[in-house]
PDB file of all heavy atoms in Angstrom:
ATOM      1  N   THR A  75      59.270 179.085-100.926  1.00  0.00           N
ATOM      2  CA  THR A  75      57.909 178.458-100.789  1.00  0.00           C
ATOM      3  C   THR A  75      56.840 179.538-101.046  1.00  0.00           C
ATOM      4  O   THR A  75      56.778 180.488-100.283  1.00  0.00           O
ATOM      5  CB  THR A  75      57.750 177.859 -99.424  1.00  0.00           C
ATOM      6  OG1 THR A  75      58.968 177.281 -99.031  1.00  0.00           O
ATOM      7  CG2 THR A  75      56.607 176.865 -99.409  1.00  0.00           C
ATOM      8  N   VAL A  76      56.138 179.307-102.125  1.00  0.00           N
ATOM      9  CA  VAL A  76      55.064 180.325-102.486  1.00  0.00           C
ATOM     10  C   VAL A  76      53.745 179.705-102.247  1.00  0.00           C
ATOM     11  O   VAL A  76      53.361 178.623-102.646  1.00  0.00           O
ATOM     12  CB  VAL A  76      55.204 180.686-103.971  1.00  0.00           C
ATOM     13  CG1 VAL A  76      54.190 181.699-104.404  1.00  0.00           C
ATOM     14  CG2 VAL A  76      56.601 181.202-104.303  1.00  0.00           C
ATOM     15  N   HIS A  77      52.906 180.492-101.412  1.00  0.00           N
ATOM     16  CA  HIS A  77      51.572 180.010-101.139  1.00  0.00           C
ATOM     17  C   HIS A  77      50.546 180.932-101.854  1.00  0.00           C
ATOM     18  O   HIS A  77      50.864 182.115-102.014  1.00  0.00           O
ATOM     19  CB  HIS A  77      51.253 180.141 -99.604  1.00  0.00           C
ATOM     20  CG  HIS A  77      52.236 179.426 -98.772  1.00  0.00           C
ATOM     21  ND1 HIS A  77      51.976 178.149 -98.335  1.00  0.00           N
ATOM     22  CD2 HIS A  77      53.391 179.814 -98.286  1.00  0.00           C
ATOM     23  CE1 HIS A  77      53.020 177.752 -97.620  1.00  0.00           C
ATOM     24  NE2 HIS A  77      53.874 178.712 -97.540  1.00  0.00           N
ATOM     25  N   VAL A  78      49.408 180.418-102.149  1.00  0.00           N
ATOM     26  CA  VAL A  78      48.344 181.287-102.602  1.00  0.00           C
ATOM     27  C   VAL A  78      47.136 181.042-101.661  1.00  0.00           C
ATOM     28  O   VAL A  78      46.671 179.956-101.440  1.00  0.00           O
ATOM     29  CB  VAL A  78      47.947 180.945-104.040  1.00  0.00           C
ATOM     30  CG1 VAL A  78      46.841 181.885-104.503  1.00  0.00           C
ATOM     31  CG2 VAL A  78      49.120 181.054-104.996  1.00  0.00           C
ATOM     32  N   HIS A  79      46.652 182.173-101.160  1.00  0.00           N
ATOM     33  CA  HIS A  79      45.442 182.133-100.347  1.00  0.00           C
ATOM     34  C   HIS A  79      44.328 182.757-101.157  1.00  0.00           C
ATOM     35  O   HIS A  79      44.434 183.869-101.595  1.00  0.00           O
ATOM     36  CB  HIS A  79      45.643 183.001 -99.071  1.00  0.00           C
ATOM     37  CG  HIS A  79      46.688 182.577 -98.188  1.00  0.00           C
ATOM     38  ND1 HIS A  79      46.626 181.488 -97.402  1.00  0.00           N
ATOM     39  CD2 HIS A  79      47.908 183.122 -97.955  1.00  0.00           C
ATOM     40  CE1 HIS A  79      47.725 181.334 -96.715  1.00  0.00           C
ATOM     41  NE2 HIS A  79      48.562 182.324 -97.028  1.00  0.00           N
ATOM     42  N   THR A  80      43.287 182.036-101.344  1.00  0.00           N
ATOM     43  CA  THR A  80      42.061 182.671-101.898  1.00  0.00           C
ATOM     44  C   THR A  80      40.924 182.039-101.206  1.00  0.00           C
ATOM     45  O   THR A  80      40.822 180.954-100.878  1.00  0.00           O
ATOM     46  CB  THR A  80      41.892 182.380-103.415  1.00  0.00           C
ATOM     47  OG1 THR A  80      41.736 180.990-103.583  1.00  0.00           O
ATOM     48  CG2 THR A  80      43.054 182.878-104.262  1.00  0.00           C
ATOM     49  N   ALA A  81      39.908 183.004-100.876  1.00  0.00           N
ATOM     50  CA  ALA A  81      38.716 182.516-100.207  1.00  0.00           C
ATOM     51  C   ALA A  81      38.080 181.420-101.037  1.00  0.00           C
ATOM     52  O   ALA A  81      37.890 181.645-102.258  1.00  0.00           O
ATOM     53  CB  ALA A  81      37.846 183.695 -99.985  1.00  0.00           C
ATOM     54  N   GLY A  82      37.684 180.327-100.415  1.00  0.00           N
ATOM     55  CA  GLY A  82      36.956 179.367-101.160  1.00  0.00           C
ATOM     56  C   GLY A  82      37.817 178.230-101.725  1.00  0.00           C
ATOM     57  O   GLY A  82      37.379 177.150-101.825  1.00  0.00           O
ATOM     58  N   TYR A  83      39.002 178.554-102.133  1.00  0.00           N
ATOM     59  CA  TYR A  83      39.971 177.529-102.533  1.00  0.00           C
ATOM     60  C   TYR A  83      40.683 177.010-101.349  1.00  0.00           C
ATOM     61  O   TYR A  83      40.899 177.669-100.377  1.00  0.00           O
ATOM     62  CB  TYR A  83      40.993 178.112-103.473  1.00  0.00           C
ATOM     63  CG  TYR A  83      40.482 178.444-104.872  1.00  0.00           C
ATOM     64  CD1 TYR A  83      39.958 179.664-105.212  1.00  0.00           C
ATOM     65  CD2 TYR A  83      40.547 177.443-105.876  1.00  0.00           C
ATOM     66  CE1 TYR A  83      39.491 179.914-106.461  1.00  0.00           C
ATOM     67  CE2 TYR A  83      40.106 177.710-107.130  1.00  0.00           C
ATOM     68  CZ  TYR A  83      39.534 178.965-107.406  1.00  0.00           C
ATOM     69  OH  TYR A  83      39.098 179.224-108.679  1.00  0.00           O
ATOM     70  N   ASP A  84      41.112 175.789-101.486  1.00  0.00           N
ATOM     71  CA  ASP A  84      41.879 175.210-100.432  1.00  0.00           C
ATOM     72  C   ASP A  84      43.313 175.777-100.561  1.00  0.00           C
ATOM     73  O   ASP A  84      43.667 176.323-101.545  1.00  0.00           O
ATOM     74  CB  ASP A  84      41.888 173.677-100.540  1.00  0.00           C
ATOM     75  CG  ASP A  84      41.959 173.068 -99.147  1.00  0.00           C
ATOM     76  OD1 ASP A  84      42.522 173.827 -98.232  1.00  0.00           O
ATOM     77  OD2 ASP A  84      41.507 171.954 -98.953  1.00  0.00           O
ATOM     78  N   HIS A  85      44.083 175.432 -99.561  1.00  0.00           N
ATOM     79  CA  HIS A  85      45.442 175.924 -99.536  1.00  0.00           C
ATOM     80  C   HIS A  85      46.316 175.398-100.705  1.00  0.00           C
ATOM     81  O   HIS A  85      46.185 174.331-101.141  1.00  0.00           O
ATOM     82  CB  HIS A  85      46.144 175.643 -98.212  1.00  0.00           C
ATOM     83  CG  HIS A  85      47.518 176.078 -98.160  1.00  0.00           C
ATOM     84  ND1 HIS A  85      48.550 175.250 -98.177  1.00  0.00           N
ATOM     85  CD2 HIS A  85      48.029 177.356 -98.086  1.00  0.00           C
ATOM     86  CE1 HIS A  85      49.665 175.942 -98.113  1.00  0.00           C
ATOM     87  NE2 HIS A  85      49.335 177.208 -98.101  1.00  0.00           N
ATOM     88  N   PHE A  86      47.187 176.307-101.266  1.00  0.00           N
ATOM     89  CA  PHE A  86      47.996 175.952-102.389  1.00  0.00           C
ATOM     90  C   PHE A  86      49.370 176.357-102.084  1.00  0.00           C
ATOM     91  O   PHE A  86      49.662 177.410-101.602  1.00  0.00           O
ATOM     92  CB  PHE A  86      47.421 176.757-103.590  1.00  0.00           C
ATOM     93  CG  PHE A  86      48.328 176.775-104.807  1.00  0.00           C
ATOM     94  CD1 PHE A  86      48.063 176.024-105.902  1.00  0.00           C
ATOM     95  CD2 PHE A  86      49.407 177.724-104.847  1.00  0.00           C
ATOM     96  CE1 PHE A  86      48.831 176.129-106.999  1.00  0.00           C
ATOM     97  CE2 PHE A  86      50.170 177.799-105.969  1.00  0.00           C
ATOM     98  CZ  PHE A  86      49.932 176.982-107.108  1.00  0.00           C
ATOM     99  N   ASP A  87      50.361 175.467-102.314  1.00  0.00           N
ATOM    100  CA  ASP A  87      51.779 175.999-102.188  1.00  0.00           C
ATOM    101  C   ASP A  87      52.673 175.238-103.174  1.00  0.00           C
ATOM    102  O   ASP A  87      52.363 174.155-103.693  1.00  0.00           O
ATOM    103  CB  ASP A  87      52.282 175.866-100.742  1.00  0.00           C
ATOM    104  CG  ASP A  87      52.220 174.454-100.223  1.00  0.00           C
ATOM    105  OD1 ASP A  87      52.411 173.508-100.984  1.00  0.00           O
ATOM    106  OD2 ASP A  87      51.989 174.330 -99.012  1.00  0.00           O
ATOM    107  N   VAL A  88      53.791 175.894-103.467  1.00  0.00           N
ATOM    108  CA  VAL A  88      54.679 175.351-104.490  1.00  0.00           C
ATOM    109  C   VAL A  88      56.094 175.864-104.140  1.00  0.00           C
ATOM    110  O   VAL A  88      56.266 176.873-103.529  1.00  0.00           O
ATOM    111  CB  VAL A  88      54.268 175.900-105.868  1.00  0.00           C
ATOM    112  CG1 VAL A  88      54.340 177.377-105.954  1.00  0.00           C
ATOM    113  CG2 VAL A  88      55.149 175.194-106.938  1.00  0.00           C
ATOM    114  N   LEU A  89      57.071 175.060-104.492  1.00  0.00           N
ATOM    115  CA  LEU A  89      58.509 175.444-104.282  1.00  0.00           C
ATOM    116  C   LEU A  89      59.066 175.976-105.589  1.00  0.00           C
ATOM    117  O   LEU A  89      58.867 175.400-106.640  1.00  0.00           O
ATOM    118  CB  LEU A  89      59.310 174.211-103.840  1.00  0.00           C
ATOM    119  CG  LEU A  89      59.408 173.879-102.404  1.00  0.00           C
ATOM    120  CD1 LEU A  89      60.262 172.656-102.196  1.00  0.00           C
ATOM    121  CD2 LEU A  89      59.997 175.068-101.653  1.00  0.00           C
ATOM    122  N   LEU A  90      59.736 177.093-105.512  1.00  0.00           N
ATOM    123  CA  LEU A  90      60.292 177.656-106.698  1.00  0.00           C
ATOM    124  C   LEU A  90      61.803 177.868-106.509  1.00  0.00           C
ATOM    125  O   LEU A  90      62.202 178.356-105.485  1.00  0.00           O
ATOM    126  CB  LEU A  90      59.662 179.096-106.995  1.00  0.00           C
ATOM    127  CG  LEU A  90      58.313 179.108-107.445  1.00  0.00           C
ATOM    128  CD1 LEU A  90      57.876 180.597-107.666  1.00  0.00           C
ATOM    129  CD2 LEU A  90      58.152 178.349-108.770  1.00  0.00           C
ATOM    130  N   ASP A  91      62.575 177.407-107.432  1.00  0.00           N
ATOM    131  CA  ASP A  91      64.029 177.771-107.461  1.00  0.00           C
ATOM    132  C   ASP A  91      64.244 178.913-108.333  1.00  0.00           C
ATOM    133  O   ASP A  91      63.915 178.918-109.525  1.00  0.00           O
ATOM    134  CB  ASP A  91      64.841 176.534-107.940  1.00  0.00           C
ATOM    135  CG  ASP A  91      64.932 175.494-106.952  1.00  0.00           C
ATOM    136  OD1 ASP A  91      65.281 175.846-105.783  1.00  0.00           O
ATOM    137  OD2 ASP A  91      64.679 174.283-107.213  1.00  0.00           O
TER     138      ASP A  91
END
Side-chain angles (χ1 to χ4, degrees):
Chain A
T75 319
V76 179
H77 305 266
V78 182
H79 300 286
T80 63
Y83 284 90
D84 212 336
H85 178 250
F86 167 100
D87 56 36
V88 63
L89 271 181
L90 288 179
D91 282 313

